Amino acid sequence: MARRYGGNPAAALILIAADIAALILVLWILFFVFDANRANDLVDWVHHAANWLATWSRDLFTPDNAKWRTVLNYGLPAVVYLAVAQAFAGRVNR
């Protein structure tokens, strides 16, 4: 882990922010797929945060299965945030 965040502190902050965003999105996917109690405050907070993070992709895919729709529409931004952060952090480190 030290190697991933090593180097320029600005690059480390970019990677950490992307990791946190991806974690929130993946948590929402897991909560949705495994039918977590939506009345729970943590589940509600993660849902709202994931909705904000995935605003641009929430209705990009529209399969009939709600679980697949959630995996696709919230998983894509998680992957994009990680990939863009990795590229951007690499440029900052140079």
Side-chain angles (χ1 to χ4, degrees), residues 4-6 10-20 82 85-87 89-90 93:
R4 174 167 165 78
Y5 299 120
L13 285 175
I14 292 166
L15 292 172
I16 290 169
D19 287 348
I20 291 169
L82 291 174
Q86 188 67 36
N93 268 334

Side-chain angles (χ1 to χ4, degrees), residues 25-34 38 47 50-51 54 57-58 61-77:
L25 290 161
V26 169
L27 274 175
W28 172 243
I29 292 169
L30 292 173
F31 287 161
F32 187 86
V33 167
F34 292 109
R38 296 209 185 159
H47 183 208
N51 275 342
S57 70
R58 269 198 321 233
F61 301 101
T62 57
D64 291 332
N65 185 303
K67 290 181 179 180
W68 270 113
R69 187 170 41 250
T70 300
V71 168
L72 293 171
N73 289 319
Y74 290 87
L76 176 65

